[in-house]
Amino acid sequence: LESTFSGLLTEFRAGSKRACARLLSVVENEPDAGTAILDELYPLMDRAYRVGITGPPGAGKSTLVEKMGRECRNRGKTVGIVAVDPTSPFSGGALLGDRVRMPSLFTDPGVFIRSMATRGGLGGLAARTKEVCDVLDAFGRDIIIIETVGVGQVELDVAATAQSTVVVLVPESGDSIQTMKAGLMEIGELFCVNKSDRDGADRLVMEVETMVEMKKGDGWMPPVVKTVATNGKGVPELLDRLEEHRRFLEASGLLTSRRRESIRDEIVELADDWLRREVWQRPEVAAQLAALVEQTFAGRTTPYKAAEAIVKQAVASR
Amino acid sequence: LESTFSGLLTEFRAGSKRACARLLSVVENEPDAGTAILDELYPLMDRAYRVGITGPPGAGKSTLVEKMGRECRNRGKTVGIVAVDPTSPFSGGALLGDRVRMPSLFTDPGVFIRSMATRGGLGGLAARTKEVCDVLDAFGRDIIIIETVGVGQVELDVAATAQSTVVVLVPESGDSIQTMKAGLMEIGELFCVNKSDRDGADRLVMEVETMVEMKKGDGWMPPVVKTVATNGKGVPELLDRLEEHRRFLEASGLLTSRRRESIRDEIVELADDWLRREVWQRPEVAAQLAALVEQTFAGRTTPYKAAEAIVKQAVASR
């Protein structure tokens, strides 16, 4: 590996955005080489502060992320932006366009923007999101902003990767109730009422504050910040609150304990993947599976008994 | 097992809704006993037609599902309804209420309604949704309607479980674009424009029809049906189109090939789970993991090398 990618890795370490983009493509698309690269970069990681931005579609998250990136730059920080877009493959091109409509950031050497689409399936997207953040982290970004659309497993996994998760809401009728339904309240460590120049913003702030107070806390009371992303209003305050959250995590020891937990989760996940591949790639297991599928289809066994037989066989040979 | 649950299983086979509800609770909450029950019930399964209903929050899915259930009853079919609600645990109770506000269905012995909440995490929800459907299938329901809220991995998994997936949209500005973004277009085999008495319904129908035509087909052109769930308008036509889709799947052989695929996926998933538990429960693996977490935390190894060490150890002993 080292020889294949050593040129790229040298350029990467020297701060080349082009090398970073190419290594990201390897990490996203080639599992084995990607793992070797991540292993190589590991000592450079864990310096970036990772912030997840999530909320319902149409809440203005992309605009907010752009303004946050600009404000981070004003404060002298380098920025990575990861936009996770569960876009349909046949509409992908056009919609992805709006991710890179951040010209002021795009040409700034202190900003690196990466869009991730699902290409027809969410499987593995969350894992790849973490890996993309890891690379940007090793690239030396001070802050990484991860934008996710919608609600689902990906958002929960991103929230687990991020040190702080911001939930963006807009004052529209029923929005707060839908948010509760969608499970966003649980993952929010900060709440942002965007488009706060609209009617109903103050009511939404109050509603969210009420719901936040109902949450069982770990000593952190999630603040609710009003923003107008289109003109940048409230964005500095949002970053100040994020900074406070970071200091809270440090002072409380949560930053350390979560890091330990996240290392543990990562090792278990990598080992599980590896183990799975190790077992299913054995020719005798593949043959056994094919036979058991037919037997189950014919009603002569059940999926449960079939799985049991495979595992017994795989570990019996120990 | 047989002795512990034999009374319940007998009542279940005799059509007791109470026994069905209790077995579902076991399947949802007790992995080992649940697997044994599913294994026992397996020969009774695969008679139900499973229909997934998904779409953005606020599209009126619950009302539509209720009216679909009623129409199925009019047609002499028994019905199972599974409402998947990724509700936050602290708001759960109140919001779940709207699931059971289907009194006309709830008291009908030919209808069985099950609400599933996530209780603080989507992990495993999709798996449990399939298992709940399996039990209702074994219970002898002719049609099972699975309602999911929002967009995400759960919806994709439910779409994989269901034979037909209906995407519900409403004529509101930007809705169709947001839907494309959210990846719903790919999973829809039928589209339902609900609240179609509102302005913009015909335009939305045209937009969806245009997008549908862009889809690469398997020989099925997804129809777009207009409904007004509140008064039941269009619901009979929706069920007619679903019946057509079922006949298409049968005639094209897709029903059979998908069933084979789904058996294969299920065996692999069950075996993976089993294998994982088998490995991680070994005391020497747990000790090795704890040591490797500390070494990684201290920067003396990486998660990739740690995972490699665990897998090598676990399968080296073969």
Side-chain angles (χ1 to χ4, degrees), chain A residues 51-92:
Chain A
V51 177
I53 306 284
T54 191
K61 292 184 294 297
S62 295
T63 310
L64 186 69
V65 167
E66 183 182 8
K67 293 290 160 55
M68 287 173 72
R70 214 173 278 176
E71 177 67 18
C72 288
R73 294 297 295 137
N74 292 342
R75 298 182 180 196
K77 311 258 190 205
T78 56
V79 176
I81 294 174
V82 181
V84 182
D85 195 345
T87 306
S88 122
F90 64 89
S91 64

Side-chain angles (χ1 to χ4, degrees), chain A residues 68-308:
Chain A
M68 287 173 72
R70 214 173 278 176
E71 177 67 18
C72 288
R73 294 297 295 137
N74 292 342
R75 298 182 180 196
K77 311 258 190 205
T78 56
V79 176
I81 294 174
V82 181
V84 182
D85 195 345
T87 306
S88 122
F90 64 89
S91 64
L95 287 166
L96 275 177
D98 67 6
R99 299 299 178 196
V100 292
R101 253 182 264 129
M102 305 187 181
S104 67
L105 293 179
F106 205 67
T107 54
D108 179 340
V111 179
F112 192 97
I113 302 172
R114 186 75 173 188
S115 290
M116 302 181 63
T118 57
R119 307 185 196 105
L122 291 168
L125 181 66
R128 282 187 289 124
T129 302
K130 184 191 176 304
E131 289 167 356
V132 165
C133 291
D134 286 347
V135 172
L136 294 183
D137 190 340
F139 194 54
R141 300 291 101 165
D142 295 316
I143 182 163
I144 298 172
I145 306 175
I146 313 153
E147 178 197 346
T148 55
V149 175
V151 179
Q153 191 56 46
V154 173
E155 282 65 35
L156 295 181
D157 289 339
V158 165
T161 297
Q163 274 106 29
S164 303
T165 298
V166 180
V167 170
V168 185
L169 303 172
V170 277
E172 271 160 14
S173 95
D175 204 37
S176 59
I177 294 297
Q178 296 298 349
T179 303
M180 290 208 301
K181 273 203 182 189
L184 282 175
M185 288 305 296
E186 285 149 74
I187 63 174
E189 281 148 332
L190 291 90
F191 290 87
C192 171
V193 171
N194 193 29
K195 306 186 185 178
S196 64
D197 49 351
R198 289 195 184 173
D199 283 350
D202 290 326
R203 220 193 81 200
L204 179 58
V205 169
M206 279 197 331
E207 283 173 357
V208 175
E209 282 174 344
T210 307
M211 287 190 280
V212 157
E213 280 164 25
M214 291 164 64
K215 270 178 86 164
K216 274 185 311 210
D218 50 7
W220 172 256
M221 176 67 77
V224 185
V225 180
K226 290 204 282 186
T227 58
V228 183
T230 45
N231 65 20
K233 210 182 137 200
V235 172
E237 195 204 335
L238 182 60
L239 286 177
D240 292 344
R241 293 293 93 74
L242 273 168
E243 186 54 40
E244 276 172 28
H245 187 233
R246 185 228 282 256
R247 283 197 300 266
F248 161 78
L249 291 175
E250 276 167 2
S252 63
L254 278 169
L255 206 61
T256 304
S257 61
R258 287 191 189 170
R259 183 154 141 60
R260 228 184 213 101
E261 243 173 77
S262 121
I263 287 173
R264 189 183 190 285
D265 292 348
E266 188 169 12
I267 294 176
V268 169
E269 209 176 294
L270 289 164
D272 279 343
D273 274 359
W274 198 319
L275 194 67
R276 224 171 357 235
R277 273 188 290 164
E278 208 283 323
V279 167
W280 294 112
Q281 80 186 1
R282 296 184 203 164
E284 74 274 19
V285 174
Q288 191 189 14
L289 174 63
L292 287 167
V293 168
E294 290 315 307
Q295 285 174 36
T296 309
F297 188 79
R300 290 200 305 275
T301 186
T302 72
Y304 314 96
K305 292 194 177 73
E308 187 180 7

Side-chain angles (χ1 to χ4, degrees), chain A residues 39 86 88 151 181 280 302 305, chain B residues 39 86 151 181 272 302 305:
Chain A
D39 186 48
S88 122
V151 179
K181 273 203 182 189
W280 294 112
T302 72
K305 292 194 177 73
Chain B
D39 187 47
V151 178
K181 274 203 182 187
D272 279 343
T302 72
K305 293 195 177 72

Side-chain angles (χ1 to χ4, degrees), chain B residues 31-105:
Chain B
D32 291 333
T35 298
I37 287 169
L38 289 165
D39 187 47
E40 185 70 30
L41 297 180
Y42 191 77
L44 302 173
M45 294 176 200
D46 274 309
R47 283 159 206 179
Y49 197 73
R50 303 178 188 201
V51 176
I53 306 284
T54 190
K61 293 185 292 298
S62 295
T63 311
L64 186 69
V65 167
E66 181 183 8
K67 292 291 160 54
M68 288 173 72
R70 215 175 276 177
E71 177 66 18
C72 289
R73 295 298 294 137
N74 291 342
R75 297 181 181 196
K77 312 256 190 211
T78 56
V79 176
I81 294 174
V82 181
V84 183
D85 195 344
T87 305
S88 119
F90 64 89
S91 63
L95 287 165
L96 275 178
D98 69 4
R99 298 301 179 194
V100 291
R101 253 183 261 131
M102 305 186 180
S104 67
L105 293 179

